[in-house]
Amino acid sequence: MAAHRELARELGGDVAYHDGGSLEWAEGDDKLAELRARVKRLAGRGYAATFITRERALGLEPGLGVPDHVREVAFYADDAWLDAPRLVRTLLDAAALKGAEVRSNVAVRSLRVENGRVEALAIDGGEIVAKAVLVCVGPATKAFLEPLGVTMPVGRVFGLLAVTSRPATALGRVVHAPGVHLRGDVGGGLMLGADDLDGPVVEHASAAGRAEIAAQMLERARRVYPSARDVTLVEHRVGVRPMPSDRHTIAGRIPGFENAWMIATHSGVTLGPLLGRLLADEIVRGAPSATLAPFRPDRFAR
Ligand SMILES: Cc1cc2nc3c(=O)[nH]c(=O)nc-3n(C[C@H](O)[C@H](O)[C@H](O)COP(=O)(O)OP(=O)(O)OC[C@H]3O[C@@H](n4cnc5c(N)ncnc54)[C@H](O)[C@@H]3O)c2cc1C
């Protein structure tokens, strides 16, 4: 999150970054014990994680409907949400201003390799000569690297996010409530997701089934956010996350290659600014970071 704040400052306070923290509460003894353990673990690592009263939570988010029996609400003050498409556009514009040539919608068909060095990217009708390459192809990682003889166990996890019309009271923060998580969306509505309405449930659902999943999310959101009583679904989006087999980010030099690096992570929005900075230091300045030691691709080559 510190890397996000730094990047937002560097980009001149662009509005893609929405701070204010996040709120979470749990129902049931087991879930509450899990939540307490999480808050303790994060606070122990120096992250701003604490419990606040239900009343204070409602003071922060007046549109919420935290049930009366909930006494503790976790508050993560440094959490934020990001308008990722906007940030990507801003970054591309900033890169172009610094002389980068941005080529959109150009598929890289393969990499031309000689003696452990990537010499060029093969595209339709030609090649792009490269001194160094960073492969960030998300869920396509495994298929993209296989022809190079590199086996990276990166799976594909489907997800569905539903977007609603504008609620009576705007939601400022990210909220993790039992059965649903929600935040404000750029259009003024709410963006909804649910951990149990995810992955294979979404992957194997028909178009009608996916619409039904979105409707279920809305139903749950109305329960925890009474201000959303009258909202309707505007759309739902299905996306695919890249998921390393050990569920940890993969970032670093591709085994067997002198000048090729990769990043594959299911937390690319959260970790993007940090990973980008660390990999840029490594590729451009030859300064690998010890922070990345547990996340190197060669853990799968051993
Ligand atoms: C439902 C859902 C919820 C999510 N929630 C979170 C979250 O809460 N927090 C978080 O941090 N992240 C979240 N993510 C983000 C996600 O999990 C990834 O971390 C993120 O998308 C990775 O970014 P990326 O740029 O590496 O890959 P992608 O976003 O997948 O982008 C890869 C790009 O590479 C392009 N590409 C692929 N093959 C080629 C080729 N051969 N040539 C040229 N281009 C190619 C693709 O077209 C695509 O544009 C979520 C994603 C989904 C779908």
Side-chain angles (χ1 to χ4, degrees), residues 13 27 39 64 67 75 145 156 177 212 244 268:
E27 296 275 8
V39 167
L64 266 184
F75 179 47
L145 292 176
R156 298 160 54 84
E212 176 54 32

Side-chain angles (χ1 to χ4, degrees), residues 17 29 45 58 63-64 109 136 156 159 165 179 204 208 221 269 279:
Y17 179 78
D29 291 347
R45 290 180 186 169
L58 294 177
L64 266 184
R109 301 296 177 195
C136 301
R156 298 160 54 84
S165 59
H204 302 302
V269 176
L279 263 285

Side-chain angles (χ1 to χ4, degrees), residues 242-261:
M243 183 63 76
S245 61
D246 60 4
R247 304 182 75 85
H248 293 296
T249 293
I250 310 175
R253 199 189 296 265
I254 300 174
F257 290 85
E258 221 178 278
N259 64 338
W261 284 261

Side-chain angles (χ1 to χ4, degrees), residues 42 57 87 154 159 185 195 197 205 209 226 247:
L42 289 171
L87 180 63
V154 180
D185 186 43
D195 292 345
L197 302 175
R247 304 182 75 85

Side-chain angles (χ1 to χ4, degrees), residues 90-190:
T90 307
L91 284 169
L92 291 177
D93 289 348
L97 277 176
K98 292 192 180 213
E101 185 190 339
V102 179
R103 299 205 193 175
S104 301
N105 300 315
V106 177
V108 176
R109 301 296 177 195
S110 60
L111 301 179
R112 179 160 63 77
V113 177
E114 280 167 35
N115 302 322
R117 279 188 66 83
V118 174
E119 299 292 342
L121 290 72
I123 56 170
D124 290 343
E127 278 195 344
I128 302 172
V129 173
K131 274 205 282 192
V133 175
L134 174 58
V135 176
C136 301
V137 292
T141 302
K142 190 166 179 280
F144 186 84
L145 292 176
E146 249 158 20
L148 301 172
V150 177
T151 306
M152 277 299 142
V154 180
R156 298 160 54 84
V157 177
F158 279 64
L160 185 148
L161 297 170
V163 179
T164 74
S165 59
R166 198 179 281 267
T169 309
L171 177 64
R173 293 168 179 79
V174 181
V175 173
H176 289 267
V180 66
H181 46 85
L182 52 155
R183 66 162 171 82
D185 186 43
V186 285
L190 300 170

Side-chain angles (χ1 to χ4, degrees), residues 209-243:
R210 289 174 179 178
E212 176 54 32
I213 289 172
Q216 254 180 288
M217 288 178 181
L218 177 57
E219 175 60 33
R220 293 180 188 185
R222 283 185 175 136
R223 261 183 261 147
V224 298
Y225 199 68
S227 284
R229 210 175 20 242
D230 298 325
V231 304
T232 52
L233 284 172
V234 174
E235 61 169 322
H236 61 270
R237 303 172 192 159
V238 173
V240 184
R241 310 173 183 90
M243 183 63 76

